[in-house]
Amino acid sequence: DNFAMFSELFYGKLQDLKQFYQRFYANEQALEDVIKKFRQVRDNAAPLDLKPLILEFVQHYNLTFQSLTAFEKEIGLNHSRMLVRTLRKYEVRLNRVGISLLNTGLLRVDEAVLDRNLEYHPEYFKILFQVNTGLLHEMNLQFKSIQTHPNQSQFKKVKDQITEVLSRGSIIDEKS
């Protein structure tokens, strides 16, 4: 009975982790697709044509970041700090174009500032959204480098919790 309960708990936890990872992976792929769109337009797009791409980038970044932080809590990793550090490196430039980095690590767009700068200062965007060297390049590399090697202390904690539950059941079984 204890083995069956342990197996059920163990495989249930694996299923949960799989779902978290699949959600993260789907969001990361959507973000990568947006970065590929930037690569396709490069310098040929009129500045105002960049607005939908920038909004899409922010939307998919936020979804990917949220799914990453949820996954990190389950597996005991902390890649999101690295992403926030990269964004902080570009924060002044992001603010200049109307994109704010929130305390949560998410991005927010001020569309009025974005529109004004797309019209009057398109050079701000070329430096920021260069696919081969700028923010997009670094973000893409960082998301691609995320490995799911578990934090051993996190797994030990979960294992200890399961063992404690099972050992309580064993004591009851032995007394009955």
Side-chain angles (χ1 to χ4, degrees), residues 116-166:
R116 187 172 51 250
N117 284 309
L118 280 168
E119 187 172 348
Y120 297 111
H121 300 289
E123 69 277 6
Y124 292 169
F125 298 90
K126 288 185 181 190
I127 292 168
L128 189 59
F129 290 107
Q130 288 177 341
V131 178
N132 295 325
T133 58
L135 173 66
L136 292 180
H137 176 72
E138 286 192 48
M139 296 299 288
N140 194 33
L141 286 177
Q142 287 179 348
F143 276 114
K144 289 278 182 217
S145 72
I146 292 173
Q147 300 291 315
T148 58
H149 299 294
N151 178 331
Q152 293 302 315
S153 64
Q154 184 75 8
F155 272 119
K156 184 177 178 341
K157 181 178 156 187
V158 170
K159 180 183 154 210
D160 290 346
Q161 289 170 346
I162 292 171
T163 304
E164 182 182 330
V165 168
L166 291 176

Side-chain angles (χ1 to χ4, degrees), residues 48-100:
L48 292 177
D49 294 339
L50 290 176
K51 181 179 179 180
L53 275 178
I54 292 169
L55 293 175
E56 192 177 359
F57 169 76
V58 169
Q59 175 192 6
H60 287 295
Y61 164 80
N62 286 342
L63 290 171
T64 304
F65 189 81
Q66 288 170 327
S67 62
L68 175 62
T69 55
F71 182 55
E72 285 177 331
K73 287 177 190 171
E74 290 297 314
I75 200 163
L77 298 174
N78 204 353
H79 290 288
S80 56
R81 281 193 325 211
M82 176 179 63
L83 295 167
V84 170
R85 252 186 268 132
T86 298
L87 287 170
R88 291 224 185 282
K89 205 167 80 171
Y90 289 91
E91 191 167 17
V92 171
R93 291 184 224 163
L94 286 167
N95 288 334
R96 186 183 304 154
V97 299
I99 301 171
S100 304

